[in-house]
Amino acid sequence: MARIAVIGAGMGAMAAAARLAVAGHRVTVYERTETYGGAVRRLERDGFSFDTGPGLLPLPAVHRDLFLKTGKEPLEACVELVQVDPSARHVFADGTEVSLPNASRAGAVAALDEALGSGAGGRWGDFLARAREAWDRTRRPLLEEPLWPNWPVLAEREPYPAVPHKRLLRTRRAGTLAEVGAWELRDPRLVTLLESQALAYGLDPRVAPAAAAVLPYMDHAFGTWYVRGGIRELARAVYERCLARRVEFVFGAEVTTVLEKDGRAAGVELTDGTVAQADFVVAGVAPEVLSRVVPGTAIRGAGEVPGQRGLPSRLTVLLALRGGRPEGTVHRTVVHAEDRELELGSVFGTPAGMAARPTVTVLRPDDPQLVPDPAHEAVTLTATVASMPGERSRADAKVLDQHAETMITVAERVIPDLRGRLLWREVRTPADITEVTGAEGGAVPAPALAAAGGRLLHPSNTTGLPGLFTVGGWSHPGGGLPHAGMSGALVAGLIVEGPDFRGSQ
């Protein structure tokens, strides 16, 4: 039985802790804040309850596997999962609307043909078929296996089978997601649909590789789910599974140093001087935090994978409304920006700013647990914004507040009399994300992707310091709830089975 110290109580860290405890190890989690879940938090006020992090769950099979491997009770015995159908209602700048069914290619094709005109659905369906090829080629190396030591193979190879496109007397294939949209989808509304899904993951479609097509494919193929009571309930269930497996949690315990002995990780030291010896250390923290607590600079593995930097953040507006949720209201509505180039420039430009009318995702769950009574409604608005390093985030508080007002104005397109129903609002900014996760500027990690020279890969779960592993959104295989769960499985496998571990079969 090994002693294992885990830094951070985020979703990936807890997934690793539960799996390691089941394998017979003694696991202690040190969390600098007073609660678990990482970015998966909750705000409660006046009988209202809101997720302040992710609001929906993709790929629930990842967490089903976690609960299957760590105890007798399956995931569905611990939380109530509800499939979101339609997956999303999209409102385009020209007023066109389409509701896409959950996990139904034929249904999506039919809905797009009806809303956008004959042929639109077919082009989207053909795109999804090509995206599936990219998924099949990259699923194991990017999601189910430790990062290959020869990771440049993934960096250089574009897995998306783009359609040949004749341009200026030359035949080319799409290399970026924007080119996929322009050359293969053609309809500007289909392009908007594609590019907005990349933006939701914090990716600039103008430079994101065509391999980013796997992201809308995942949404299409595996569906979108809601956890009754909010995603925070999933964090609670994982935390309780850890406790049931006798994982120890120490809250309010900030790690200042990863101890080293004989050239390998040997434990952690806390701010109060407490030293905890360990045979392995698992760090589920942002890169900036990791670089502060690890002695020296040799913390990366797999041949110095570039890793993601400069990713954007999120602005979240929580709305408490008088008046109940109307019957038949769609759970998720995406109101698209009027000017995509302006929006992308505001998020990824130098210097970045605020879009006049950003793309806003409106979440309106049908969940009585979120409201004081049926005569009220809890609504969450989210938009992708530029990350904001410390001083700038504080200086731009007024700008962010104005941007929140703009988001409410955008949401008025789909919620009649929104301002007339508004009781109060709360805003969560990039500074709030930094406070919770430690990520510089409130940056939110994106999933790992092939191609693009490796800049959308994440550092390996192993590091240059033997005995030290990294887990969570900032390490392989990247950001998002399912990816965090996958990283926990990979780290547990590497510790239990050793460096020859090659993932689940």
Side-chain angles (χ1 to χ4, degrees):
M1 178 177 69
R3 299 166 300 173
I4 300 175
V6 179
I7 308 173
M11 297 298 286
M14 290 197 296
R19 290 175 180 272
L20 288 166
V22 165
H25 299 299
R26 191 171 72 198
V27 183
T28 303
V29 177
Y30 300 91
E31 167 59 45
R32 67 178 179 85
T33 71
E34 298 298 331
T35 190
Y36 55 84
V40 182
R41 297 294 177 95
R42 171 187 286 155
L43 180 139
E44 295 179 338
R45 176 180 164 185
D46 300 339
F48 290 88
S49 181
F50 301 88
D51 283 319
T52 59
L56 294 170
L57 177 65
L59 269 176
V62 173
H63 289 88
R64 289 190 179 110
D65 181 73
L66 170 64
F67 278 75
L68 176 67
K69 300 291 176 56
T70 59
K72 295 180 180 179
E73 286 187 312
L75 175 62
E76 281 81 355
C78 302
V79 297
E80 182 182 352
L81 294 180
V82 181
Q83 193 169 27
V84 176
D85 199 14
S87 174
R89 168 192 177 200
H90 293 269
V91 180
F92 299 101
D94 65 356
T96 306
E97 298 185 14
V98 62
S99 291
L100 297 181
N102 201 332
S104 171
R105 179 180 180 275
V109 168
L112 288 167
D113 272 341
E114 181 178 354
L116 309 185
S118 179
R123 289 194 296 276
W124 185 256
D126 291 344
F127 157 74
L128 288 176
R130 291 186 289 274
R132 177 178 179 174
E133 290 189 45
W135 166 261
D136 290 340
R137 292 170 181 171
T138 60
R139 175 178 57 86
R140 283 200 62 80
L142 283 182
L143 300 180
E144 298 175 357
E145 299 177 346
L147 189 63
W148 293 346
N150 61 334
W151 62 267
V153 174
L154 292 172
E156 297 159 5
R157 183 178 300 164
E158 172 56 71
Y160 179 78
V163 174
H165 174 74
K166 192 168 185 179
R167 188 179 186 189
L168 298 178
L169 303 180
R170 295 178 60 190
T171 299
R172 295 182 55 191
R173 292 180 181 269
T176 68
L177 201 64
E179 289 175 338
V180 170
W183 299 353
E184 299 179 15
L185 298 178
R186 300 191 297 279
D187 187 304
R189 294 161 298 186
L190 290 179
V191 173
T192 293
L193 180 61
L194 175 64
E195 293 189 349
S196 67
Q197 291 189 320
L199 182 62
Y201 282 98
L203 300 173
D204 184 348
R206 299 170 300 183
V207 296
V214 299
L215 300 176
Y217 171 75
M218 287 169 56
D219 188 57
H220 150 76
F222 305 109
T224 303
W225 301 76
Y226 173 69
V227 178
R228 186 73 68 189
I231 295 295
R232 178 68 178 176
E233 286 299 295
L234 177 64
R236 174 199 54 77
V238 176
Y239 170 67
E240 291 180 353
R241 177 55 54 91
C242 286
L243 294 179
R245 302 283 78 80
R246 301 192 178 184
V247 174
E248 180 183 358
F249 285 80
V250 184
F251 294 107
E254 183 172 1
V255 172
T256 58
T257 307
V258 172
L259 303 176
E260 181 180 347
K261 183 179 180 180
D262 299 330
R264 63 175 287 118
V268 297
E269 181 175 352
L270 309 181
T271 51
D272 63 2
T274 299
V275 170
Q277 304 291 337
D279 302 295
F280 298 95
V281 176
V282 177
V285 295
E288 298 80 12
V289 178
L290 186 63
S291 65
R292 291 198 300 268
V293 302
V294 178
T297 57
I299 57 176
R300 286 185 179 174
E304 296 296 306
V305 180
Q308 300 185 22
R309 293 294 185 273
L311 288 168
S313 186
R314 304 286 185 272
L315 189 65
T316 303
V317 184
L318 313 173
L319 305 177
L321 304 184
R322 63 172 61 88
R325 179 182 186 270
E327 187 72 25
T329 296
V330 173
H331 187 123
R332 175 173 59 172
T333 299
V334 182
V335 185
H336 294 278
E338 296 174 352
D339 188 326
R340 173 72 60 203
E341 284 301 314
L342 179 63
E343 178 177 39
L344 295 177
S346 74
V347 176
F348 301 101
T350 306
M354 292 291 159
R357 290 288 180 94
T359 295
V360 176
T361 298
V362 181
L363 296 183
R364 305 178 71 182
D366 182 11
D367 189 348
Q369 297 182 43
L370 306 185
V371 292
D373 55 58
H376 293 85
E377 183 180 7
V379 175
T380 301
L381 313 180
T382 57
T384 301
V385 299
S387 57
M388 297 184 173
E391 291 303 321
R392 182 187 163 198
S393 183
R394 285 186 285 273
D396 284 355
K398 184 176 181 180
V399 173
L400 288 167
D401 193 67
Q402 292 172 343
H403 198 59
E405 286 295 320
T406 300
M407 290 169 61
I408 294 174
T409 299
V410 171
E412 285 182 294
R413 290 186 62 186
V414 294
I415 306 179
D417 193 29
L418 171 55
R419 291 187 188 274
R421 297 176 57 197
L422 184 61
L423 291 171
W424 49 261
R425 68 174 175 83
E426 293 269 3
V427 180
R428 287 297 177 264
T429 70
D432 295 310
I433 296 175
T434 298
E435 183 178 350
V436 169
T437 68
E440 183 179 356
V444 178
L449 293 173
R455 61 184 173 78
L456 291 176
L457 296 174
H458 288 268
S460 171
N461 306 108
T462 56
T463 71
L465 179 63
L468 173 66
F469 298 81
T470 63
V471 72
W474 291 105
S475 59
H476 180 71
L481 285 171
H483 296 74
M486 293 172 193
S487 75
L490 292 174
V491 167
L494 287 165
I495 291 176
V496 173
E497 299 187 27
D500 293 332
F501 173 69
R502 289 295 176 265
S504 59
Q505 301 298 320

